Amino acid sequence: MLVISNRNLKQEFARSGIGNENAFGEQLNNKGPNEIRLANAHKAAGKWKLELVQESRSHRAGLPSKTQFAAVLDRCKAHNKNCLFYVHGYNKPFAETLEQGWLLQERYQVEVVLFSWPSNTGGIPIKEYKAVKRVAQTSTGALDNAFEKLATYLAVPFNREALLECDVSLNLMTYSMGNFLFQNYVQGTIYDGETRMFTNAVLCQADCDNEGHRKWVEAVQVGKRIYITVNENDKILAWSDANFQKDRLGRTVRALDAANAIYVDFTAGANVGKTHQLWGKDTNDTVRNFFDHVLNGRRGEETTGLDYDSRVNAFRQSPNKKHG
């Protein structure tokens, strides 16, 4: 799994280039919030090993990030897999972001590129939540750097051919407050349609305002489809609703009006209940199959068990439909 992060590097990791799940810290990179570092993460026998991608000043050595992205595509080709760029949410220490990326990789058989940002600042919950939102806003430059590098490398013949030859799709999922980071990126002056490289973009259980989302969502450019998931009983987003008095995008079926988005409401699905991490919890087959479809570049709206409801402009899972 390839990790891209604007977190600070622990001293031993920076010095030796070898680390574990504590290799990155909980603060922004000390060289600035836009500074990203890459590492390869491996998990064996329940233990993590991280290898820092060493920066090179020699053009002969090639750009390290270009080499790493090429390696990801080679693995996709060799194992007949698609690639997922994943941006996690609020209050996640680095070790937990690794586990989320690994779960996605194993559960949906994709190659994950994990963008890990410092979303676990600590402190009183409400104050921490506000502080992390500021970190998210500060991290847009780092996300842009990651997207720009990847988009640039895909534009050259070697990588484009690799994608076409092995029928690999590159997809994006922003999760929970990761959507607030993504929203600020899209609304900022640095966004220039870099997301066109993604076949599907999945805005999963978005912890950002429902009000006014149409404007920024319609500015997002992707290769094919944008999905927005909803669970009206989401217990994590309920806390945000209660404390900040605005409907969360991932927790309401009101005003689902972005013309380029496909909304999917899982509220009534069997065993969904108050689930926030729809992609990772065992709820029902329809939910799991939906994510298998969209994270692999296919059409999620064609998942068995979903029916379009024109009253709310969303595909909805019918009550107690477990299979898909």
Side-chain angles (χ1 to χ4, degrees), residues 49-237:
K49 179 181 179 182
L50 269 75
E51 299 173 355
L52 185 65
V53 175
Q54 299 296 341
E55 297 175 325
S56 174
R57 297 179 181 178
S58 171
H59 291 291
R60 290 184 178 180
L63 294 172
S65 53
K66 180 179 180 180
T67 302
Q68 295 305 313
F69 287 134
V72 169
L73 295 182
D74 286 343
R75 290 197 297 272
C76 287
K77 182 177 180 179
H79 302 290
N80 193 28
K81 291 183 177 182
N82 296 297
C83 183
L84 173 65
F85 193 107
Y86 174 62
V87 184
H88 65 82
Y90 165 65
N91 196 27
K92 293 291 173 271
F94 178 67
E96 192 169 343
T97 71
L98 283 176
E99 293 294 341
Q100 286 191 350
W102 185 258
L103 176 59
L104 283 162
Q105 187 160 282
E106 296 298 296
R107 191 178 181 92
Y108 299 106
Q109 291 299 295
V110 292
E111 279 287 335
V112 169
V113 176
L114 168 67
F115 181 81
S116 186
W117 56 286
S119 67
N120 184 44
T121 60
I124 299 171
I126 291 180
K127 289 185 177 180
E128 181 187 25
Y129 183 85
K130 291 180 178 179
V132 172
K133 289 187 76 173
R134 290 192 290 271
V135 174
Q137 291 171 315
T138 303
S139 296
T140 56
L143 184 63
D144 181 61
N145 283 343
F147 282 165
E148 278 202 342
K149 287 178 183 293
L150 183 53
T152 299
Y153 303 150
L154 289 176
V156 299
F158 172 79
N159 289 293
R160 185 171 295 280
E161 287 176 4
L163 279 171
L164 294 174
E165 286 175 6
C166 58
D167 196 27
V168 170
S169 70
L170 179 61
N171 303 286
L172 168 69
M173 183 163 74
T174 51
Y175 175 53
S176 197
M177 195 185 283
N179 288 282
F180 181 72
L181 194 166
F182 186 58
Q183 173 188 351
N184 279 270
Y185 165 60
V186 172
Q187 289 178 321
T189 58
I190 56 177
Y191 181 65
D192 191 28
E194 291 84 359
T195 50
R196 287 190 298 268
M197 62 185 164
F198 298 113
T199 299
N200 290 337
V202 185
L203 281 53
C204 181
Q205 296 311 105
D207 190 0
C208 48
D209 293 346
N210 170 274
E211 181 182 350
H213 77 274
R214 174 180 179 176
K215 184 175 182 180
W216 70 266
V217 170
E218 289 186 350
V220 178
Q221 300 178 48
V222 295
K224 291 186 178 178
R225 296 168 287 269
I226 299 172
Y227 294 94
I228 298 177
T229 68
V230 175
N231 175 11
E232 291 184 285
N233 298 318
D234 186 315
K235 65 179 180 181
I236 301 299
L237 298 185

Side-chain angles (χ1 to χ4, degrees), residues 286-305:
T286 297
V287 175
R288 181 160 181 160
N289 289 344
F290 167 81
F291 281 100
D292 185 64
H293 285 17
V294 297
L295 301 184
N296 280 285
R298 303 192 299 273
R299 290 182 176 273
E301 66 273 31
E302 294 180 351
T303 305
T304 303

Side-chain angles (χ1 to χ4, degrees), residues 36-50:
I36 56 174
R37 293 301 305 270
L38 278 64
N40 286 296
H42 311 273
K43 190 178 184 182
K47 293 185 178 180
W48 282 102
K49 179 181 179 182
L50 269 75

Side-chain angles (χ1 to χ4, degrees), residues 255-267:
L256 304 182
D257 56 1
N260 61 337
I262 300 168
Y263 298 91
V264 185
D265 176 21
F266 292 108
T267 304

